[in-house]
Amino acid sequence: QKEVEQNSGPLSVPEGAIASLNCTYSDRVSQSFFWYRQYSGKSPELIMSIYSNGDKEDGRFTAQLNKASQYVSLLIRDSQPSDSATYLCAVNSPSGAGSYQLTFGKGTKLSVIP
Amino acid sequence: DAGVIQSPRHEVTEMGQEVTLRCKPISGHDYLFWYRQTMMRGLELLIYFNNNVPIDDSGMPEDRFSAKMPNASFSTLKIQPSEPRDSAVYFCASSPSPGGGFSTDTQYFGPGTRLTVL
């Protein structure tokens, strides 16, 4: 059973601060790692993808991956009220016979306070 | 470019009725995925297709659920008979590839269908 764990929150940060979201996963052979943002009543929207150890930056967002520790994180710098949403960590792993499975965590609810 | 299209956006039905959800993937994406999202269980994969062929249906909860993909631009998820516990948001997603550690395995989600079974 592949598992992806996230703190459900809510995580509250003041506007302008750094928000740090964390995720751990169980399957050591996982190959692709994603952060999706989901506003209430909307569909998941891709924020970041990362495939190798280290940091990947895109604007105010930085994804960090540590495969040895089975840990992936997302940093949001200069947080804005519009960043308030649920952030889903997703991990893609082989599931046998050439197939793959994208497993989602249950999400961390972020609230940015003006 | 048009994204993944789903219909209907909302469906309210009574227990025992048949429900059909529809999806049109992004053109050129060979993989189509059906997910269900609930507060309790989060986002769960139900089934996925490659080039219209079902590859992994291990997430389909029971025989009441069935999915088809008659061509590259259309898929359906059917629930017959529906039960109140099927109430959830059902998402369709598509991608150029299913995995392997490449940027092409990013999945793009449709707007979802909110199903309520009374």
Side-chain angles (χ1 to χ4, degrees):
Chain A
Q1 181 80 6
K2 304 175 195 294
E3 294 182 349
V4 177
E5 300 288 340
Q6 295 181 254
N7 187 323
S8 62
L11 174 65
S12 294
V13 299
E15 184 175 354
I18 296 175
S20 178
L21 306 167
N22 305 313
C23 170
T24 59
Y25 59 94
S26 64
D27 192 342
R28 287 194 169 274
V29 298
S30 298
Q31 297 173 316
S32 309
F33 307 85
F34 306 92
W35 284 99
Y36 285 83
R37 178 176 63 198
Q38 188 174 26
Y39 292 113
S40 180
K42 301 295 185 181
S43 60
E45 172 193 13
L46 181 71
I47 296 297
M48 290 285 288
S49 58
I50 188 166
Y51 303 95
S52 56
N53 281 327
D55 295 359
K56 179 181 178 182
E57 186 175 319
D58 184 0
R60 296 187 296 112
F61 300 95
T62 299
Q64 300 174 316
L65 175 61
N66 184 326
K67 289 186 178 181
S69 300
Q70 295 175 239
Y71 175 88
V72 58
S73 66
L74 179 70
L75 300 178
I76 307 174
R77 290 181 299 282
D78 187 24
S79 295
Q80 301 297 309
S82 59
D83 295 326
S84 298
T86 296
Y87 289 80
L88 302 171
C89 174
V91 176
N92 203 340
S93 313
S95 57
S99 66
Y100 294 84
Q101 181 166 348
L102 187 64
T103 303
F104 284 83
K106 291 187 177 179
T108 297
K109 187 171 184 178
L110 173 66
S111 179
V112 181
I113 311 300
Chain B
D1 286 342
V4 176
I5 299 171
Q6 291 186 248
S7 65
R9 295 292 305 276
H10 301 273
E11 177 80 28
V12 180
T13 190
E14 293 187 348
M15 183 174 63
Q17 296 298 305
E18 178 180 296
V19 174
T20 300
L21 311 181
R22 297 172 176 80
C23 175
K24 176 179 169 56
I26 294 171
S27 178
H29 284 191
D30 292 337
Y31 291 84
L32 182 142
F33 307 81
W34 282 101
Y35 290 88
R36 177 172 67 176
Q37 187 174 39
T38 61
M39 289 293 293
M40 288 294 295
R41 300 176 67 90
L43 201 57
E44 301 174 287
L45 177 67
L46 300 176
I47 185 171
Y48 82 87
F49 294 84
N50 174 25
N51 288 325
N52 315 336
V53 177
I55 301 300
D56 185 350
D57 65 354
S58 59
M60 296 287 262
E62 48 196 280
D63 291 346
R64 297 185 297 108
F65 286 70
S66 63
K68 294 182 180 179
M69 192 165 185
N71 58 62
S73 59
F74 183 67
S75 177
T76 60
L77 177 68
K78 186 174 294 187
I79 308 172
Q80 166 62 22
S82 58
E83 297 182 3
R85 60 194 170 113
D86 301 330
S87 297
V89 181
Y90 291 81
F91 288 105
C92 177
S94 70
S95 71
S97 76
F102 307 105
S103 61
T104 51
D105 60 10
T106 299
Q107 294 183 21
Y108 297 90
F109 283 75
T113 295
R114 182 173 295 277
L115 173 64
T116 302
V117 183
L118 303 175

